Amino acid sequence: MNILKTYQTFYFVGIGGIGMSAIARFLHSSGAKVMGYDKTQTKLTAQLISEGIEISFQDKVDQTVTELNKENTLV
């Protein structure tokens, strides 16, 4: 996949959704750095966190997000 070569980090807004979480898992298993935000904590977001995906539940931009390189991050 060419997109995996272009971007090193993927940031998902709404990562706890059934579709977004599946894509996040796929990219994470392919070796990409995957992060995201969701409004609420659920069993699904807990599973993603246990798999090594960083998720924020704060409705504000934190330092981790501001430090992402916009040249190699896809939101």
Side-chain angles (χ1 to χ4, degrees):
M1 293 180 83
N2 290 337
I3 197 165
L4 292 177
K5 295 175 185 173
T6 304
Y7 299 103
Q8 295 174 352
T9 307
F10 296 85
Y11 190 90
F12 289 83
V13 178
I15 196 168
I18 195 70
M20 292 290 210
S21 63
I23 298 167
R25 273 195 173 114
F26 169 75
L27 292 170
H28 181 71
S29 70
S30 297
K33 178 160 179 63
V34 177
M35 305 167 66
Y37 161 81
D38 207 280
K39 187 176 175 180
T40 54
Q41 296 180 7
T42 64
K43 289 180 183 179
L44 187 52
T45 57
Q47 289 173 335
L48 294 172
I49 291 169
S50 73
E51 294 169 16
I53 296 174
E54 185 178 332
I55 301 176
S56 172
F57 299 99
Q58 302 280 331
D59 193 13
K60 65 179 182 175
V61 177
D62 63 14
Q63 185 175 355
T64 303
V65 174
T66 60
E67 291 177 351
L68 291 175
N69 182 342
K70 66 181 179 181
E71 301 299 321
N72 64 11
T73 302
L74 181 64
V75 178

